[in-house]
């Protein structure tokens, strides 16, 4: 079991690979496991903070499952101070950091050097695979820059996967990329491209995404806590319970309609 608090950073130099959606859905997943979570939004667009504001307007502020704060990565020394503060806060168990989709910020090296886990989402197309390979090489060389071994475990996540796309030559390229990426860290199962993954919330339930993300998040969760069971008992809030029930009822209606159609 890793010593908590654990800092998990979602990163890739390529934008549009789903860092933010995976960061939020992983936060929601951890909440259902009874884990004390904190989210740091370091992305230039501040998408998670914007989402939290919309959620608070919709649901109110009485049922917020975890706090979200913004942080800048322009100053390396301040980033080091921030990660040291987070690592020494006993009220937290997992801190999730959403990083920018570029390597322009000077504080990124300090962030990566002080992260315990780095989650690298990508998807299978020539440009993204090439860019992700370059990012993994950058992380591999980072040890020389900081003059110590990079301690972070890497989880490389094939995200936004569309199994309908890919000629034979491309599929062979994707498999070769997967084998190459395995040299750097754990390549997880694929997360399929689904509209539900774009409808994430920082307050409401992780109901529509659970089946999509659990095979991946279970692996990362186990690497932290060395168990698959919840860390402690978790009780659904009224919002989460309502949305979960609505989803179950929707699925039951679809099943009945399908049976009647047969």
């Amino acid at each position: 079991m890793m010593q908590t608090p654990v800092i998990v950073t979602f990163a890739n130099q390529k934008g549009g690979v789903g860092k933010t959606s995976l960061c939020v859905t992983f936060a929601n997943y951890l909440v259902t496991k009874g884990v004390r979570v904190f989210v740091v939004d370091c992305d230039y667009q501040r998408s998670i903070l914007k989402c939290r504001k919309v959620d608070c307007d919709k649901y109110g502020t009485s049922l917020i499952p975890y706090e979200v704060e913004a942080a800048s990565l322009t100053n390396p020394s301040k980033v080091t101070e921030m990660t040291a503060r987070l690592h020494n806060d006993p009220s937290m168990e997992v801190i999730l950091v959403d990083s920018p989709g570029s390597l322009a910020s000077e504080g990124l090296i300090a962030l990566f050097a002080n992260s315990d886990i780095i989650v690298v989402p990508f998807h299978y197309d020539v440009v993204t695979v090439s860019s992700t390979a370059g990012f993994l090489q950058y992380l591999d060389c980072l040890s020389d820059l900081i003059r110590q071994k990079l301690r972070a475990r890497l989880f490389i996540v094939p995200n936004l996967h569309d199994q309908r796309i890919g000629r034979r030559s491309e599929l062979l390229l994707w498999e070769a990329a997967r084998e190459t990426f395995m040299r750097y860290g754990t390549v997880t199962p694929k997360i399929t491209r689904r509209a539900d993954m774009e409808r994430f919330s920082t307050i409401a339930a992780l109901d529509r995404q659970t089946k999509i993300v659990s095979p991946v998040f279970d692996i990362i969760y186990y690497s932290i806590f060395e168990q698959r069971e919840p860390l402690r008992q978790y009780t659904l809030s009224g919002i989460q319970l309502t949305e979960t029930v609505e989803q179950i009822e929707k699925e039951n209606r679809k099943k009945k309609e399908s049976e009647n159609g047969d």
Side-chain angles (χ1 to χ4, degrees), residues 33 54 56 133 230:
K33 293 286 191 180
V54 171
C56 287

PDB file of all heavy atoms in Angstrom, residues 33 54 56 133 230:
ATOM      1  N   LYS A  33     -15.614   4.754  -3.174  1.00  0.00           N
ATOM      2  CA  LYS A  33     -14.786   3.814  -2.419  1.00  0.00           C
ATOM      3  C   LYS A  33     -14.511   4.307  -0.995  1.00  0.00           C
ATOM      4  O   LYS A  33     -13.784   3.671  -0.242  1.00  0.00           O
ATOM      5  CB  LYS A  33     -13.452   3.598  -3.135  1.00  0.00           C
ATOM      6  CG  LYS A  33     -13.546   2.885  -4.481  1.00  0.00           C
ATOM      7  CD  LYS A  33     -13.821   1.403  -4.307  1.00  0.00           C
ATOM      8  CE  LYS A  33     -13.662   0.653  -5.609  1.00  0.00           C
ATOM      9  NZ  LYS A  33     -13.920  -0.806  -5.460  1.00  0.00           N
ATOM     10  N   VAL A  54     -20.951  25.255 -12.216  1.00  0.00           N
ATOM     11  CA  VAL A  54     -22.227  24.868 -12.828  1.00  0.00           C
ATOM     12  C   VAL A  54     -22.963  23.876 -11.931  1.00  0.00           C
ATOM     13  O   VAL A  54     -24.185  23.977 -11.734  1.00  0.00           O
ATOM     14  CB  VAL A  54     -21.993  24.266 -14.228  1.00  0.00           C
ATOM     15  CG1 VAL A  54     -23.277  23.647 -14.779  1.00  0.00           C
ATOM     16  CG2 VAL A  54     -21.472  25.326 -15.179  1.00  0.00           C
ATOM     17  N   CYS A  56     -22.686  23.525  -8.668  1.00  0.00           N
ATOM     18  CA  CYS A  56     -23.179  24.200  -7.456  1.00  0.00           C
ATOM     19  C   CYS A  56     -24.442  24.996  -7.752  1.00  0.00           C
ATOM     20  O   CYS A  56     -25.364  25.048  -6.926  1.00  0.00           O
ATOM     21  CB  CYS A  56     -22.092  25.111  -6.890  1.00  0.00           C
ATOM     22  SG  CYS A  56     -20.741  24.234  -6.089  1.00  0.00           S
ATOM     23  N   ALA A 133       4.231   9.051 -27.336  1.00  0.00           N
ATOM     24  CA  ALA A 133       5.545   8.399 -27.262  1.00  0.00           C
ATOM     25  C   ALA A 133       6.620   9.407 -26.880  1.00  0.00           C
ATOM     26  O   ALA A 133       7.494   9.121 -26.041  1.00  0.00           O
ATOM     27  CB  ALA A 133       5.871   7.742 -28.599  1.00  0.00           C
ATOM     28  N   PRO A 230     -13.980  -1.225  -0.901  1.00  0.00           N
ATOM     29  CA  PRO A 230     -13.956   0.182  -0.472  1.00  0.00           C
ATOM     30  C   PRO A 230     -13.080   0.394   0.753  1.00  0.00           C
ATOM     31  O   PRO A 230     -12.991  -0.487   1.623  1.00  0.00           O
ATOM     32  CB  PRO A 230     -15.426   0.478  -0.170  1.00  0.00           C
ATOM     33  CG  PRO A 230     -16.189  -0.495  -1.013  1.00  0.00           C
ATOM     34  CD  PRO A 230     -15.349  -1.740  -1.034  1.00  0.00           C
TER      35      PRO A 230
END
